[in-house]
Amino acid sequence: MSIALFIQHRFSERWKDHLSQLLPTTKIEIYPEIEKPDEVSYAISWKHDLGVFNQFKNLKVIASLGAGVHHILKDESIPESIQITRIVDEQLQKDMASFVLTQCLNVNRNIFQYLRQQEQKEWKLNTYKTPEETKVGILGMGVLGKSAGELLHQNGFQVMGWSRSKKQIDYIETYEASALNQFLSKTDILVCLLPITKATIGLVNCKMFNQLPKNSSFINVARGELVEDADLLKALNNNRLKWAVLDVFKEEPLSKNHLYWSHPKVIITPHSASLTNPKTASKQLAANYLRLTEEKELHNLVDRERGY
Amino acid sequence: MSIALFIQHRFSERWKDHLSQLLPTTKIEIYPEIEKPDEVSYAISWKHDLGVFNQFKNLKVIASLGAGVHHILKDESIPESIQITRIVDEQLQKDMASFVLTQCLNVNRNIFQYLRQQEQKEWKLNTYKTPEETKVGILGMGVLGKSAGELLHQNGFQVMGWSRSKKQIDYIETYEASALNQFLSKTDILVCLLPITKATIGLVNCKMFNQLPKNSSFINVARGELVEDADLLKALNNNRLKWAVLDVFKEEPLSKNHLYWSHPKVIITPHSASLTNPKTASKQLAANYLRLTEEKELHNLVDRERGY
C-alpha cells in the first residue's frame, strides 16, 4: 500500500515532507512520478486531472486536501466504491473570515484606489466611510458566511445575510430568498459565500448587480462558477460596481488572456482566502491512512449525495 | 469678524459648506480669496504656508483641522498672543486603529504581493501565517499606539509595544526604551506611531532596521520626519524589509521624483490613515468660533510648551 499526491499549485513537496514525518515507513509519491500504480491505495487530491485515477486499480480512498470536495465529485470516472474524505479544520473558517475582513477594509479605506494612484504617482485624498456606516451583504449564511459576518460585526461593520431560508443570527440582519432585491438595494459591499449547487451556478449575474447601489463593490471568495463573468465586467464598466475583488474563477489558474487580469477595477488573488494548514491537515490525512491500513472506519467521510 | 480657511489637499469647499450651515450669518472664505484680511479673526489651518498669517492683523485664533498641531507650532512667525486649538475626536483614534489593522492584515495575507503578481498576470500561491502567529511591534504607546494595539489584539495578533517609559497595558507585551533591540528582534511587522519630538526625529534608521528579522515589514502612520528615508530604502533593497507601507512623508504631497513612488516594495497612501470627519469637527470649530465672539474661553486649547 502506498500514498500518491495529486496536488495542483499547492506546494506538493511540502505536503510530502509533512506526511513523511508522520508516516516514515510509508511510500509517498507525487503524481506523475509513481513507481508502482497498483500499490497506491490512498490518493490525496487538490484539483486532480479528471480521469487520472483510472490508472490506479487498487485505490480505496481519495482524500481532499481542503474542506471542499467539488473537484472530486465532479469527476464522474471515479467508481462508487472509492471512499472520499475531506479536511475538517476550524482554522479554515477563521482564515476565510479574516480574508473577507481584510478585503472589506481595503474597499472601505480606498486601499485599492491608492495603489492605482501610486502607479500614476498621483497624490489624491479620498474620503471614506467608517465600518459603522458601511453595509456588507453576505450571500450565503452557511458556516463560512456566518463566521465572516460575525468577524465583520466585531469590527464595526453593519452586516446583512441572505440565504434560501431565513436564519436567526445575532447581530446579522437576515433576509430570506424572496427578499433578495431588498437585501441588494442596501448593500455597499456584496460578499459571495454561497455553496455551489444546481440552483446557485450563475446566480450572481446582471439581475443581481442591477439591484445594487451605484459604486458598490463585489467580493467573491466562494466559487467562480457562481458568477456570470460577462455580467460582472458589464457592471464594472457601467460603474454599477467600483471594485470586483476575486479570489476564485471558473478556470484556475486564471488564463493569461482573461480580461480580469488587466481590468483596472478587478483585484485578483489566486484562490488564497483560506489555505489548508499542512501541519494540522497532515495529521488528519496520516491518521486516516493508518485507519485504512487497519481496516477501521475513516474520519470525515463525504456523503456523495449530500455533497459534503 | 470672519473665518478664513487655509486647508491644503483636504476638501476646502466641503469644510466651508459644513461651517456655513452651522454659522449661516458668518463670512467664511477660502485663502487666498480673502476680501478683507483685517476682518479675519479665526483661521482654520491644515498645513498652511509658513508666514501666511502675518497678513491678518486681527487674527485671534488658529484652529487645527486635525488632532495634530505640529504644522502650526513649527511656524515661528505666529505671535504668542494667538490662541491655538485642535480637534479632539475619538473617531480619529478608531480610524487610525482600523487603518493599522487593514495594513497589518494586508501584509499578513500577501495582498500587496498578489497585486504585484497581478501586474505580471502571475498566478502563484504564497503561504501565510495566521494573526496568532504574527508579532506586531508598535513604536509609541500613546493614545493612538494603545488603541491600535488593542484592535490588533482583538483580531488575534500578538502585540508588543515600545515606549520611553515602560507601560502596563492589558494584552500588550510592553518594552521600555533600553529594551529596544530585544523588542525589534521579535517583530514581524513594525508599526510607527511615535510622537514627533527632538528625540524621535530620524529615530527610525538603519540601527533599527538592522535589528529586525529578515523579511519583516514596516508601517509608518505617524510622521515622515521620524524616518531616515535613505536607510529605509537600503533595508528594502537588502531584503531586511519585505514591505514599507507609508502613509506619511517628510514632504507632502510626495514629490513626483521621489524614489518611493515606483519602488516595488513601497506602498503609498496620501496621509489618509485618519481623516477628520467634517460633520463632527465642524461642530467643534463653529462652537469655538461662537465662544470667541462671546469672549468665552475656548475648548481644546493647545499648550505650546507641551506641544498638544
Side-chain angles (χ1 to χ4, degrees):
Chain A
M1 288 178 79
S2 73
I3 297 177
L5 306 181
F6 303 77
I7 302 176
Q8 287 202 23
H9 307 283
R10 298 254 161 168
F11 318 107
S12 295
E13 287 294 343
R14 195 171 310 173
W15 282 95
K16 186 179 166 183
D17 290 348
H18 278 286
L19 289 164
S20 299
Q21 279 174 32
L22 297 164
L23 303 167
T25 61
T26 305
K27 185 192 265 187
I28 303 172
E29 295 167 303
I30 297 172
Y31 182 82
E33 313 281 318
I34 309 288
E35 226 176 23
K36 296 181 184 161
D38 290 356
E39 282 186 9
V40 174
S41 57
Y42 191 89
I44 298 175
S45 157
W46 186 256
K47 304 203 167 183
H48 65 269
D49 295 327
L50 300 188
V52 72
F53 296 126
N54 293 336
Q55 307 161 44
F56 302 88
K57 285 174 194 142
N58 294 309
L59 189 61
K60 302 275 185 307
V61 176
I62 302 172
S64 171
L65 204 65
V69 288
H70 182 64
H71 60 110
I72 299 174
L73 297 184
K74 76 177 179 188
D75 185 344
E76 291 173 3
S77 71
I78 297 174
E80 289 286 334
S81 60
I82 292 186
Q83 301 183 84
I84 298 169
T85 65
R86 64 193 195 105
I87 298 295
V88 175
D89 186 348
E90 217 176 274
Q91 189 63 41
L92 285 170
Q93 290 166 43
K94 288 181 70 176
D95 290 357
M96 175 60 84
S98 175
F99 187 87
V100 170
L101 172 66
T102 304
Q103 299 299 41
C104 286
L105 286 168
N106 279 329
V107 167
N108 218 47
R109 295 305 298 267
N110 306 305
I111 302 298
F112 301 133
Q113 181 66 35
Y114 290 135
L115 281 155
R116 293 285 183 256
Q117 289 179 198
Q118 184 176 350
E119 291 167 16
Q120 311 296 325
K121 304 191 181 184
E122 185 185 12
W123 180 280
K124 184 170 154 279
L125 210 52
N126 302 287
T127 52
Y128 55 82
K129 294 201 286 187
T130 62
E132 287 76 8
E133 295 166 322
T134 306
K135 289 207 169 192
V136 180
I138 301 176
L139 293 168
M141 278 285 108
V143 175
L144 293 178
K146 199 178 150 209
S147 76
E150 278 167 2
L151 186 63
L152 287 165
H153 165 76
Q154 282 165 31
N155 280 279
F157 286 93
Q158 293 183 52
V159 183
M160 305 183 296
W162 178 79
S163 50
R164 291 269 122 188
S165 56
K166 189 174 163 111
K167 300 202 171 165
Q168 198 71 40
I169 303 171
D170 278 356
Y171 314 118
I172 299 180
E173 200 181 311
T174 52
Y175 293 78
E176 62 193 332
S178 63
L180 179 61
N181 286 353
Q182 195 194 345
F183 163 86
L184 292 168
S185 69
K186 297 182 189 171
T187 293
D188 296 309
I189 304 175
L190 182 67
V191 176
C192 180
L193 272 168
L194 290 167
I196 188 153
T197 68
K198 274 177 195 159
T200 60
I201 287 176
L203 186 67
V204 184
N205 57 30
C206 57
K207 277 188 214 153
M208 272 210 189
F209 294 132
N210 289 339
Q211 298 297 324
L212 292 169
K214 278 231 158 193
N215 283 313
S216 49
S217 291
F218 174 61
I219 298 174
N220 190 9
V221 280
R223 284 289 179 267
E225 290 85 349
L226 299 164
V227 178
E228 286 296 345
D229 293 324
D231 291 3
L232 176 54
L233 286 165
K234 214 177 288 170
L236 288 165
N237 293 336
N238 68 19
N239 295 322
R240 178 64 55 187
L241 288 179
K242 195 169 177 183
W243 297 104
V245 181
L246 307 177
D247 189 51
V248 290
F249 306 89
K250 282 199 183 68
E251 184 196 2
E252 295 180 3
L254 187 63
S255 149
K256 295 263 187 203
N257 307 320
H258 204 290
L259 289 173
Y260 284 153
W261 279 115
S262 52
H263 196 292
K265 299 166 89 177
V266 174
I267 303 296
I268 293 175
T269 50
H271 206 144
S272 59
S274 177
L275 299 181
T276 311
N277 180 335
K279 256 189 234 172
T280 52
S282 294
K283 284 185 199 156
Q284 292 187 24
L285 294 167
N288 253 351
Y289 175 75
L290 291 176
R291 294 181 77 84
L292 175 70
T293 61
E294 294 160 4
E295 297 185 2
K296 288 182 183 161
E297 197 188 344
L298 302 187
H299 292 311
N300 305 322
L301 273 172
V302 169
D303 178 332
R304 292 193 191 200
E305 281 302 306
R306 209 174 48 171
Y308 58 90
Chain B
M1 290 179 77
S2 75
I3 298 176
L5 306 182
F6 303 77
I7 302 175
Q8 287 200 24
H9 307 283
R10 297 253 162 172
F11 317 107
S12 295
E13 287 294 344
R14 195 171 311 173
W15 283 95
K16 188 180 164 183
D17 290 347
H18 278 286
L19 289 165
S20 299
Q21 280 174 30
L22 297 164
L23 303 168
T25 62
T26 304
K27 185 191 265 187
I28 302 171
E29 295 167 304
I30 297 171
Y31 182 82
E33 314 280 318
I34 310 288
E35 224 175 25
K36 296 180 182 164
D38 289 357
E39 283 186 10
V40 174
S41 57
Y42 190 89
I44 297 174
S45 158
W46 186 257
K47 305 202 168 184
H48 65 269
D49 295 327
L50 300 187
V52 72
F53 296 127
N54 293 336
Q55 309 161 41
F56 302 89
K57 285 175 193 142
N58 294 310
L59 190 62
K60 302 274 185 304
V61 176
I62 301 172
S64 172
L65 204 65
V69 289
H70 181 65
H71 60 110
I72 299 174
L73 298 183
K74 76 176 180 188
D75 185 345
E76 291 172 3
S77 72
I78 297 173
E80 289 285 333
S81 60
I82 290 184
Q83 301 183 83
I84 297 168
T85 65
R86 65 193 195 103
I87 298 295
V88 175
D89 186 348
E90 217 176 272
Q91 190 62 41
L92 285 170
Q93 291 165 44
K94 288 181 70 175
D95 290 357
M96 175 61 84
S98 174
F99 186 88
V100 170
L101 172 66
T102 304
Q103 300 297 43
C104 287
L105 286 168
N106 278 329
V107 167
N108 218 48
R109 295 306 299 266
N110 307 305
I111 303 297
F112 300 134
Q113 181 65 36
Y114 290 135
L115 281 156
R116 293 283 183 259
Q117 287 179 200
Q118 185 176 350
E119 292 166 18
Q120 311 297 324
K121 304 190 180 184
E122 185 186 11
W123 180 281
K124 183 171 155 277
L125 211 51
N126 301 287
T127 52
Y128 56 82
K129 294 201 286 187
T130 63
E132 287 76 8
E133 294 166 324
T134 306
K135 288 207 170 194
V136 180
I138 302 177
L139 294 168
M141 277 285 109
V143 175
L144 294 177
K146 200 180 148 206
S147 76
E150 280 167 1
L151 185 63
L152 288 165
H153 165 76
Q154 282 166 30
N155 280 280
F157 286 93
Q158 294 183 51
V159 184
M160 306 183 294
W162 179 80
S163 49
R164 291 268 122 187
S165 56
K166 189 173 163 109
K167 301 198 172 167
Q168 198 69 41
I169 304 172
D170 277 358
Y171 312 118
I172 299 181
E173 198 181 312
T174 52
Y175 293 78
E176 62 194 331
S178 62
L180 179 61
N181 286 353
Q182 196 193 342
F183 163 87
L184 292 169
S185 70
K186 298 183 190 170
T187 292
D188 296 309
I189 304 175
L190 183 66
V191 176
C192 180
L193 272 168
L194 289 167
I196 188 152
T197 67
K198 273 177 195 159
T200 60
I201 288 175
L203 186 67
V204 183
N205 58 30
C206 56
K207 278 187 214 156
M208 273 209 189
F209 295 132
N210 289 340
Q211 298 298 323
L212 292 169
K214 278 230 159 192
N215 283 313
S216 49
S217 290
F218 174 61
I219 297 175
N220 189 10
V221 279
R223 284 289 179 269
E225 290 86 346
L226 298 163
V227 177
E228 287 296 345
D229 293 324
D231 291 4
L232 176 54
L233 286 165
K234 213 177 288 169
L236 288 165
N237 294 335
N238 68 19
N239 295 322
R240 177 66 54 188
L241 288 179
K242 195 169 177 183
W243 297 105
V245 181
L246 307 177
D247 189 51
V248 291
F249 305 88
K250 283 199 183 68
E251 185 196 0
E252 293 180 4
L254 188 63
S255 149
K256 294 263 187 203
N257 307 320
H258 204 291
L259 290 174
Y260 283 153
W261 279 116
S262 51
H263 196 292
K265 298 166 90 177
V266 174
I267 303 296
I268 293 176
T269 49
H271 204 144
S272 60
S274 175
L275 299 181
T276 311
N277 180 332
K279 257 190 231 169
T280 52
S282 294
K283 284 185 198 156
Q284 291 186 25
L285 293 167
N288 253 351
Y289 176 74
L290 291 176
R291 295 181 76 82
L292 175 68
T293 61
E294 294 161 4
E295 296 185 2
K296 288 182 182 161
E297 198 189 344
L298 303 187
H299 292 311
N300 305 323
L301 273 171
V302 169
D303 178 333
R304 292 193 191 201
E305 281 303 305
R306 209 173 47 172
Y308 59 90

